[in-house]
Amino acid sequence: MKSDQHPSTDRGRDLVTSLLVVLLLGVIASVCVIYIQLVGVQNELNELKHLRDLDLKFKDEFDQKSQEDQQSQTRTSKESVQKRQTASSFVQELLLAQAHILESHCANDSRLCMRGPKGEKGDPGPSAKPLTVPTSVTSQCACLEEPKIGQLLNTVAKTGDDVDLRCPVTGNPTPYVKWIKNGVTVSRKSILHLTNVDTTTSGNYTCVAQNIIGSRTKTLLLNIQ
């Protein structure tokens, strides 16, 4: 009876040992799987962090470039406004100088007149007397004339040529003249001299003439082939 109990006890012990070994292997396998998953998650987190750092870097560079571009545009706009103001001030000073010259001319017993259509002769009235002009006064009449621009000829030239665009202007006082292309003043003389022209030089050129009486403009087409 005792000899039958020993094999049964040994088999029970072996069964328990086998179960413990299987359980231990399962735990080890689970730990390995969890570790592998954690390593994968860590790698993904590192990659996401790297991408985030790159995104922040690119964003900072983009913001910096945008800021520099805005500053450059602001400087360009300010310079353009200053140039226009300077040009406008120059014209105003010129017109004021012309007005001062005319004022001095008037103070020197000379007469100024404006050319225009004759009006109807008025009734002198019963007490009218003939107007006498002292012989010592020089009756010089300086007539004011608004600017007039002669004919502007459209011009065709070849690439590499030198071209002169002429703006014949008359008027009293002598008009202030400038050439404009695409809204930008390209010359302040009646003759616009262009050297080594190319296709980018083509376009409409407007001559502007003005004095204290008025202003006139005319446009010609320059075609570079």
Side-chain angles (χ1 to χ4, degrees), residues 13 25 34 38 83 88 90 122 133 144 149-150 173 182 202 207:
R13 188 180 297 113
L25 291 175
I34 293 173
L38 289 175
K83 288 180 180 179
S88 178
F90 177 77
V133 180
L144 304 182
I149 301 177
N182 297 330
S202 298
C207 175

Side-chain angles (χ1 to χ4, degrees), residues 65-216:
K65 182 172 178 56
S66 298
Q67 186 176 3
E68 291 175 353
D69 291 341
Q70 290 177 355
Q71 292 176 351
S72 177
Q73 292 177 358
T74 302
R75 286 195 299 269
T76 303
S77 178
K78 288 182 179 179
E79 291 174 357
S80 178
V81 171
Q82 289 175 352
K83 288 180 180 179
R84 287 197 296 270
Q85 291 176 345
T86 300
S88 178
S89 299
F90 177 77
V91 174
Q92 294 300 324
E93 290 177 2
L94 180 64
L95 298 180
L96 287 175
Q98 290 181 343
H100 179 70
I101 293 172
L102 290 175
E103 184 180 0
S104 300
H105 188 75
C106 290
N108 194 27
D109 293 331
S110 297
R111 293 180 297 165
L112 295 174
C113 63
M114 293 286 293
R115 290 183 178 176
K118 264 189 175 182
E120 295 182 359
K121 187 175 181 180
D123 182 8
S127 61
K129 296 181 180 179
L131 178 64
T132 58
V133 180
T135 57
S136 59
V137 177
T138 303
S139 58
Q140 178 184 2
C141 180
C143 291
L144 304 182
E145 294 182 358
E146 63 182 1
K148 294 180 180 178
I149 301 177
Q151 184 179 7
L152 299 187
L153 300 176
N154 293 334
T155 304
V156 178
K158 295 181 180 180
T159 299
D161 288 350
D162 293 345
V163 178
D164 286 340
L165 303 182
R166 300 178 182 275
C167 182
V169 175
T170 59
N172 185 34
T174 302
Y176 165 78
V177 182
K178 64 180 177 180
W179 285 93
I180 295 177
K181 180 187 179 187
N182 297 330
V184 178
T185 300
V186 294
S187 176
R188 303 186 187 279
K189 298 181 180 179
S190 60
I191 300 178
L192 172 59
H193 182 64
L194 303 172
T195 59
N196 193 24
V197 297
D198 54 28
T199 54
T200 60
T201 317
S202 298
N204 291 320
Y205 289 79
T206 300
C207 175
V208 180
Q210 55 186 148
N211 61 12
I212 59 175
I213 309 302
S215 64
R216 286 290 183 272

Side-chain angles (χ1 to χ4, degrees), residues 53-70:
D53 293 340
L54 288 176
D55 182 65
L56 290 175
K57 180 181 178 181
F58 290 148
K59 183 179 179 181
D60 291 340
E61 292 178 354
F62 178 78
D63 292 342
Q64 183 178 2
K65 182 172 178 56
S66 298
Q67 186 176 3
E68 291 175 353
D69 291 341
Q70 290 177 355

